[in-house]
Amino acid sequence: MKMPKADKDDLMTPTPATSVSGTPFKLGVLDQVMNFRMLRIRNLLTARYREETSKLGLRPGSFGALAIIEANPGIAQIDVAKVGGYDQTALVCILDDFEARGWATRARDPSDRRRHRVEITDAGREALSGLLERALQNERPARDALDTNELAALRNAIDKIYTRLFLS
Amino acid sequence: MKMPKADKDDLMTPTPATSVSGTPFKLGVLDQVMNFRMLRIRNLLTARYREETSKLGLRPGSFGALAIIEANPGIAQIDVAKVGGYDQTALVCILDDFEARGWATRARDPSDRRRHRVEITDAGREALSGLLERALQNERPARDALDTNELAALRNAIDKIYTRLFLS
DNA sequence: TATTGTTATACTCTATAACTATA
DNA sequence: TATAGTTATAGAGTATAACAATA
């Protein structure tokens, strides 16, 4: 049976066998898949963070939405959805929650009354600051695994990929 | 209001503003969060692949499970779950599906009759080959965005982080 | 007619607990 | 008593369609 091989396969040396209760297991062809490698560390990075924020009753994506609202005063809901990659209907729940917490306000746009201008409040900014701190603290171990050059290289590679994928 | 800053912040130059229908929007503090950057490209990478495989009736994780079974002949279900990071009950459905398709077999382990030894079939290997090809084809644009050195640096950084996170 | 926001709904994924058979 | 596998079920997340208000 023939298995396809990744391009530049020589760069893709196998991941150390995953050890479960002393016995080593292999990942097989998954070693060739870059997306799988990224998935694993993302799952590890996100698990604890999700656990913490869900205790606060926050939906996944709340942090991102709040950050986008803070950075773009008066942005319309639909643009928050587009920028953050959310479903528009999911945002309705998130913003209902933000209003209930006093983190953001909705107001009709006078120049286009279909639109709701969304603004962050001072309480929202304070909450955002706390959420950012948690997020940074959460990925601290990942950052600390790399030296300055390695971190810069990772950042460079990720942004190059994003630019390529997003613009094509 | 004070916002916390990421360590090594100087390396984290802002992402180019995301343009939606001509208007540029900012990502604000999200620029500092490495996990957010990785999330965005992973979502882009996975979207099309998920779409294709779900048309085939495959559950998310089927590719990974099949690869692990292929690489570890006779592995027990619970070890597939541990290695791949799956919920054990989710694996039951995945393996039921594999058996129905003739991709894998389950058999009692004579030395411990609680365990099911899982083996891939020739048809399963063929299916795995096709899934791998799709996965590699899917991330081709991401690989092509990087030169040889950049790809090696990305791989190095990801594996260093994984090793650190997994062993701590 | 198209767009923004909303509601309702259905479908999927995940997590939990309970059950069996084996050790 | 603990483990491997299974089943059933409830909860959360996501996606879809339909609707009201506005352009």
Side-chain angles (χ1 to χ4, degrees):
Chain A
M1 188 218 32
K2 276 192 311 180
M3 284 284 172
K5 287 283 181 180
D7 295 349
K8 304 161 185 167
D9 185 43
D10 48 321
L11 296 173
M12 292 285 149
T13 55
T15 302
T18 306
S19 176
V20 173
S21 62
T23 312
F25 290 99
K26 297 173 190 166
L27 291 171
V29 297
L30 291 179
D31 272 325
Q32 300 173 46
V33 183
M34 192 175 65
N35 198 23
F36 173 77
R37 294 171 177 276
M38 298 191 60
L39 172 61
R40 291 198 304 179
I41 68 174
R42 211 197 85 79
N43 284 347
L44 281 168
L45 277 174
T46 311
R48 241 179 322 160
Y49 183 74
R50 279 277 172 94
E51 203 175 336
E52 285 182 19
T53 53
S54 73
K55 275 182 199 158
L56 304 174
L58 290 176
R59 297 166 168 283
S62 287
F63 171 49
L66 194 57
I68 290 169
I69 293 167
E70 190 268 341
N72 304 277
I75 189 173
Q77 282 185 215
I78 196 169
D79 289 328
V80 177
K82 284 179 184 167
V83 173
Y86 305 111
D87 188 292
Q88 199 186 348
T89 63
L91 254 183
V92 176
C93 298
I94 291 177
L95 282 180
D96 286 349
D97 181 55
F98 284 175
E99 280 197 326
R101 294 169 188 266
W103 289 359
T105 59
R106 280 188 269 213
R108 292 262 175 209
D109 184 338
S111 69
D112 182 344
R113 291 182 45 75
R114 291 174 304 183
R115 286 169 168 263
H116 282 177
R117 290 174 50 87
V118 186
E119 307 264 2
I120 196 170
T121 65
D122 285 343
R125 266 181 273 267
E126 200 167 334
L128 177 61
S129 173
L131 290 173
L132 175 60
E133 198 158 19
R134 277 171 202 264
L136 293 177
Q137 197 172 347
N138 182 62
E139 66 184 32
R140 171 80 55 90
R143 287 172 184 273
D144 287 350
L146 306 178
D147 65 30
T148 305
N149 287 334
E150 289 168 333
L151 186 60
L154 174 61
R155 158 63 196 263
N156 169 67
I158 287 176
D159 282 2
K160 266 197 169 178
I161 291 173
Y162 179 74
T163 303
R164 172 71 63 91
L165 291 183
F166 199 77
L167 300 182
S168 68
Chain B
M1 188 222 27
K2 276 190 312 180
M3 284 286 172
K5 287 284 181 180
D7 295 349
K8 305 162 184 167
D9 185 43
D10 48 321
L11 296 173
M12 292 286 147
T13 57
T15 302
T18 306
S19 176
V20 172
S21 62
T23 312
F25 290 99
K26 296 173 190 165
L27 292 171
V29 297
L30 291 178
D31 272 324
Q32 300 174 46
V33 184
M34 193 176 66
N35 199 23
F36 172 76
R37 294 171 176 278
M38 297 189 62
L39 173 61
R40 290 198 304 181
I41 68 175
R42 211 196 85 78
N43 283 347
L44 281 168
L45 277 174
T46 310
R48 239 181 322 160
Y49 182 73
R50 280 276 172 93
E51 204 175 336
E52 284 182 21
T53 52
S54 73
K55 275 183 200 157
L56 304 174
L58 290 176
R59 297 167 169 282
S62 286
F63 171 50
L66 193 57
I68 290 169
I69 292 167
E70 190 268 342
N72 304 278
I75 189 173
Q77 282 185 216
I78 196 169
D79 289 328
V80 177
K82 283 178 184 167
V83 173
Y86 305 111
D87 188 291
Q88 199 187 348
T89 62
L91 254 182
V92 176
C93 298
I94 291 177
L95 282 180
D96 286 348
D97 180 55
F98 285 174
E99 280 197 327
R101 294 170 189 267
W103 289 359
T105 59
R106 280 188 271 213
R108 293 263 176 207
D109 184 337
S111 68
D112 183 344
R113 290 182 46 75
R114 291 174 304 183
R115 285 169 169 263
H116 283 177
R117 291 174 48 87
V118 185
E119 305 264 3
I120 196 169
T121 65
D122 285 343
R125 266 181 272 268
E126 199 166 335
L128 178 60
S129 174
L131 290 173
L132 176 59
E133 198 159 21
R134 276 171 202 263
L136 294 177
Q137 196 173 348
N138 182 61
E139 66 184 33
R140 172 78 55 90
R143 287 172 182 273
D144 287 349
L146 306 179
D147 65 32
T148 305
N149 288 334
E150 288 168 333
L151 185 60
L154 173 61
R155 159 63 196 264
N156 169 68
I158 287 176
D159 282 2
K160 267 197 169 177
I161 291 173
Y162 178 75
T163 303
R164 172 70 64 93
L165 292 181
F166 200 77
L167 300 182
S168 68

